[in-house]
Amino acid sequence: LASQATVRSLLNAAIQLRRDVFPGVLWKLFTRAAEVDLLGRHPQMRNRLERIGAVLEDHAFGQKKSLKDMVGMVDAMVKNGIIIQKCVEQMTPEFVEVLQGITGTEQRAATAREDDSAAVPDADEGALLAKAQKLAISYWVRLQKMGISEDESLRAFLETICSGSGGGSKLDGMSLTEAIQELQGVDAT
């Protein structure tokens, strides 16, 4: 990372990868560049990261990713200052679909506990839902920072966390504090 020539060579090699085969590699490079503040250290590499962003834009978002990975991807867009619009447009519905799956699993487990007929052993769906809720807030915050209009189903999920309907927030005090800190700097519109 200290050598500009090495960084330039790495980014040039990434740009030349077969674009249809290696979007996962390019995503990893794009997100790692944000994590290590590559553009802060080597601002002249911006054009290469923008080219990598263009390749990712061309291939959109076709891979299944975890909620954490998707938050990392939009976080990288914020930190790198490079918005990959088509990817966000495809990623957000998938993000919401995964959230809904987790919410459905938690609700089925709660029903099973009430029925006492098929209790889920040693499974803490509440903790899983809390983690998903925290990631949903993080994802929404990053969309706001990029100025991207939000998805209605994502907004509806966040409203259920805040309103208490549909089970409400599962966040513990520390997670709630972290979520509130993350919301700082986002315009309330």
Side-chain angles (χ1 to χ4, degrees):
L1 207 56
S3 167
Q4 181 177 339
T6 303
V7 172
R8 181 181 299 118
S9 296
L10 175 64
L11 294 178
N12 285 341
I15 292 168
Q16 299 305 318
L17 289 173
R18 280 190 47 208
R19 293 180 173 139
D20 60 331
V21 178
F22 293 110
V25 172
L26 293 179
W27 270 117
K28 188 66 170 175
L29 182 61
F30 187 81
T31 56
R32 282 294 295 152
E35 290 170 8
V36 299
D37 191 26
L38 179 71
L39 294 179
R41 296 176 184 192
H42 303 289
Q44 60 279 18
M45 297 294 139
R46 180 171 201 64
N47 65 338
R48 285 172 175 78
L49 267 185
E50 287 172 343
R51 286 179 61 193
I52 289 171
V55 170
L56 292 169
E57 184 85 45
D58 288 343
H59 287 85
F61 183 78
Q63 309 149 341
K64 293 287 184 187
K65 296 286 185 186
S66 69
L67 294 178
K68 184 177 178 182
D69 288 341
M70 289 185 268
V71 170
M73 291 170 160
V74 294
D75 189 48
M77 290 181 212
V78 170
K79 289 179 180 175
N80 290 330
I82 300 169
I83 299 171
I84 307 172
Q85 186 69 37
K86 189 189 273 186
C87 293
V88 172
E89 289 171 1
Q90 291 180 345
M91 190 183 323
T92 301
E94 183 175 323
F95 190 92
V96 171
E97 182 180 321
V98 173
L99 286 174
Q100 291 169 338
I102 291 170
T103 303
T105 299
E106 204 274 338
Q107 289 171 345
R108 284 190 301 278
T111 303
R113 282 191 297 272
E114 287 172 11
D115 293 345
D116 247 4
S117 59
V120 180
D122 297 323
D124 190 357
E125 291 82 13
L128 177 64
L129 184 56
K131 188 176 238 180
Q133 289 176 344
K134 187 169 188 278
L135 289 168
I137 292 167
S138 294
Y139 189 83
W140 180 83
V141 164
R142 283 150 182 81
L143 291 182
Q144 297 305 302
K145 287 181 178 180
M146 290 188 290
I148 294 177
S149 62
E150 59 197 54
D151 181 90
E152 284 304 313
S153 52
L154 179 60
R155 175 189 280 272
F157 182 83
L158 292 171
E159 286 176 356
T160 62
I161 295 171
C162 298
S163 71
S165 66
S169 174
K170 301 293 183 190
L171 298 176
D172 62 17
M174 180 59 93
S175 296
L176 188 57
T177 301
E178 290 170 1
I180 291 169
Q181 288 174 338
E182 219 176 325
L183 290 170
Q184 292 177 342
V186 175
D187 291 332
T189 54

